């Protein structure tokens, strides 16, 4: 056992639901209504590598892919990890790099 975990959501109606049982991940935020989960995929060294959101309707969606699909210009940016999700589930805060330099980001998630 390598000690890595898997992000999950629990409800009294549905019980324990793993976000992606094929990857190691860590939850970083939850919307106030509990419908949207913010998490990071973890590499074998427990380093966050890919921020994503999950909900029951749309499943797992990488934040970068959501921005790309909405034609948001993220040229020069690499989104390494997410730290927090707003109560309404619309804003993600995290860290990464911009132009190769460490940077923080605040993203309003596209619908």
């Amino acid at each position: 056992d390598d000690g890595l975990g898997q992000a999950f959501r629990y409800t009294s109606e549905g019980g324990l639901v793993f976000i992606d049982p094929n990857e190691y991940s860590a939850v970083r935020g939850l919307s106030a209504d509990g419908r949207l989960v913010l998490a990071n995929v973890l590499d074998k060294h427990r380093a966050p590598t890919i921020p994503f959101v999950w909900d029951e309707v749309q499943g797992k969606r990488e934040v970068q892919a959501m921005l790309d699909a909405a034609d948001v210009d993220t040229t020069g940016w690499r989104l390494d990890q997410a730290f927090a999700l707003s109560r309404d589930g619309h804003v993600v805060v995290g860290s990464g790099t911009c132009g190769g330099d460490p940077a923080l980001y605040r993203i309003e998630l596209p619908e």
Side-chain angles (χ1 to χ4, degrees), residues 8 14 26-28 45-47 52 61 73 75 82 86 94 103 106:
F8 66 90
V27 172
R28 293 295 177 227
H45 305 289
R46 296 192 178 118
F52 67 90
R61 296 172 289 151
D73 183 10
T75 303
S86 63
R106 178 189 180 275

Short mmCIF file of all heavy atoms in Angstrom, two decimals, residues 8 14 26-28 45-47 52 61 73 75 82 86 94 103 106:
data_model
loop_
_atom_site.label_atom_id
_atom_site.label_comp_id
_atom_site.label_asym_id
_atom_site.label_seq_id
_atom_site.Cartn_x
_atom_site.Cartn_y
_atom_site.Cartn_z
N PHE A 8 -13.68 11.12 -2.51
CA PHE A 8 -15.02 10.55 -2.50
C PHE A 8 -16.01 11.58 -1.97
O PHE A 8 -15.65 12.60 -1.39
CB PHE A 8 -15.09 9.28 -1.66
CG PHE A 8 -14.87 9.50 -0.19
CD1 PHE A 8 -15.93 9.77 0.65
CD2 PHE A 8 -13.59 9.42 0.34
CE1 PHE A 8 -15.72 9.97 2.01
CE2 PHE A 8 -13.36 9.63 1.70
CZ PHE A 8 -14.44 9.91 2.53
N GLY A 14 -27.04 8.12 -0.87
CA GLY A 14 -26.23 7.33 -1.81
C GLY A 14 -25.04 6.63 -1.20
O GLY A 14 -24.39 5.82 -1.87
N ALA A 26 -7.26 13.97 -4.03
CA ALA A 26 -7.55 14.56 -2.73
C ALA A 26 -8.57 15.68 -2.90
O ALA A 26 -8.39 16.55 -3.75
CB ALA A 26 -6.28 15.11 -2.10
N VAL A 27 -9.62 15.65 -2.10
CA VAL A 27 -10.65 16.69 -2.14
C VAL A 27 -10.11 17.95 -1.49
O VAL A 27 -9.47 17.91 -0.45
CB VAL A 27 -11.93 16.23 -1.43
CG1 VAL A 27 -12.93 17.36 -1.28
CG2 VAL A 27 -12.56 15.06 -2.16
N ARG A 28 -10.39 19.10 -2.12
CA ARG A 28 -9.96 20.40 -1.60
C ARG A 28 -11.11 21.33 -1.30
O ARG A 28 -10.96 22.33 -0.63
CB ARG A 28 -9.01 21.08 -2.59
CG ARG A 28 -7.71 20.37 -2.73
CD ARG A 28 -6.96 20.44 -1.42
NE ARG A 28 -5.73 19.70 -1.50
CZ ARG A 28 -5.32 18.85 -0.58
NH1 ARG A 28 -6.04 18.62 0.47
NH2 ARG A 28 -4.19 18.22 -0.72
N HIS A 45 4.06 10.76 -5.74
CA HIS A 45 4.75 11.43 -4.63
C HIS A 45 3.79 12.28 -3.81
O HIS A 45 4.21 13.11 -3.02
CB HIS A 45 5.89 12.30 -5.15
CG HIS A 45 6.86 11.54 -6.00
ND1 HIS A 45 7.72 10.60 -5.48
CD2 HIS A 45 7.07 11.54 -7.33
CE1 HIS A 45 8.45 10.08 -6.45
NE2 HIS A 45 8.07 10.62 -7.59
N ARG A 46 2.49 12.09 -4.04
CA ARG A 46 1.42 12.84 -3.38
C ARG A 46 1.38 14.31 -3.78
O ARG A 46 0.79 15.13 -3.10
CB ARG A 46 1.52 12.72 -1.86
CG ARG A 46 1.31 11.35 -1.35
CD ARG A 46 1.13 11.36 0.16
NE ARG A 46 0.88 10.01 0.61
CZ ARG A 46 1.67 9.36 1.44
NH1 ARG A 46 2.73 9.91 1.92
NH2 ARG A 46 1.37 8.14 1.79
N ALA A 47 2.02 14.65 -4.88
CA ALA A 47 1.98 16.03 -5.36
C ALA A 47 0.74 16.24 -6.23
O ALA A 47 0.46 15.42 -7.10
CB ALA A 47 3.24 16.35 -6.17
N PHE A 52 -9.55 19.34 -10.69
CA PHE A 52 -10.79 19.00 -11.38
C PHE A 52 -11.99 19.21 -10.47
O PHE A 52 -11.86 19.33 -9.25
CB PHE A 52 -10.76 17.56 -11.89
CG PHE A 52 -10.74 16.49 -10.83
CD1 PHE A 52 -11.91 15.95 -10.34
CD2 PHE A 52 -9.54 16.00 -10.34
CE1 PHE A 52 -11.90 14.95 -9.37
CE2 PHE A 52 -9.50 15.00 -9.38
CZ PHE A 52 -10.70 14.47 -8.90
N ARG A 61 -14.54 16.68 -14.40
CA ARG A 61 -14.13 17.60 -15.46
C ARG A 61 -12.86 18.33 -15.00
O ARG A 61 -12.86 18.97 -13.95
CB ARG A 61 -15.22 18.62 -15.76
CG ARG A 61 -16.49 17.99 -16.31
CD ARG A 61 -17.61 18.97 -16.42
NE ARG A 61 -18.09 19.30 -15.07
CZ ARG A 61 -18.63 20.46 -14.74
NH1 ARG A 61 -18.78 21.41 -15.62
NH2 ARG A 61 -19.05 20.68 -13.51
N ASP A 73 -8.45 32.10 -22.76
CA ASP A 73 -7.03 32.09 -23.11
C ASP A 73 -6.19 31.89 -21.85
O ASP A 73 -6.13 32.75 -20.99
CB ASP A 73 -6.65 33.40 -23.79
CG ASP A 73 -5.19 33.44 -24.24
OD1 ASP A 73 -4.51 32.39 -24.19
OD2 ASP A 73 -4.73 34.52 -24.63
N THR A 75 -2.89 30.88 -22.20
CA THR A 75 -1.55 30.76 -22.76
C THR A 75 -0.51 31.09 -21.69
O THR A 75 -0.59 32.12 -21.02
CB THR A 75 -1.37 31.71 -23.96
OG1 THR A 75 -2.38 31.42 -24.93
CG2 THR A 75 0.01 31.58 -24.56
N ALA A 82 -5.55 22.97 -7.01
CA ALA A 82 -6.62 23.83 -6.50
C ALA A 82 -6.58 23.78 -4.98
O ALA A 82 -6.27 22.75 -4.40
CB ALA A 82 -7.96 23.34 -7.02
N SER A 86 -15.46 28.22 -3.94
CA SER A 86 -16.42 29.13 -3.31
C SER A 86 -17.68 28.37 -2.89
O SER A 86 -17.98 27.30 -3.41
CB SER A 86 -16.78 30.27 -4.26
OG SER A 86 -17.42 29.76 -5.43
N GLY A 94 -6.22 28.53 -6.69
CA GLY A 94 -5.16 27.55 -6.64
C GLY A 94 -3.82 28.12 -7.00
O GLY A 94 -3.64 29.34 -7.04
N ALA A 103 2.80 31.09 -9.51
CA ALA A 103 1.70 32.07 -9.51
C ALA A 103 0.46 31.46 -8.84
O ALA A 103 0.30 30.24 -8.79
CB ALA A 103 1.38 32.47 -10.93
N ARG A 106 -7.16 32.63 -9.65
CA ARG A 106 -8.57 32.68 -9.24
C ARG A 106 -9.36 32.54 -10.53
O ARG A 106 -9.23 33.36 -11.44
CB ARG A 106 -8.90 34.00 -8.57
CG ARG A 106 -10.37 34.11 -8.17
CD ARG A 106 -10.70 35.53 -7.71
NE ARG A 106 -12.08 35.67 -7.34
CZ ARG A 106 -13.08 35.93 -8.19
NH1 ARG A 106 -12.84 36.05 -9.48
NH2 ARG A 106 -14.32 36.04 -7.76
#
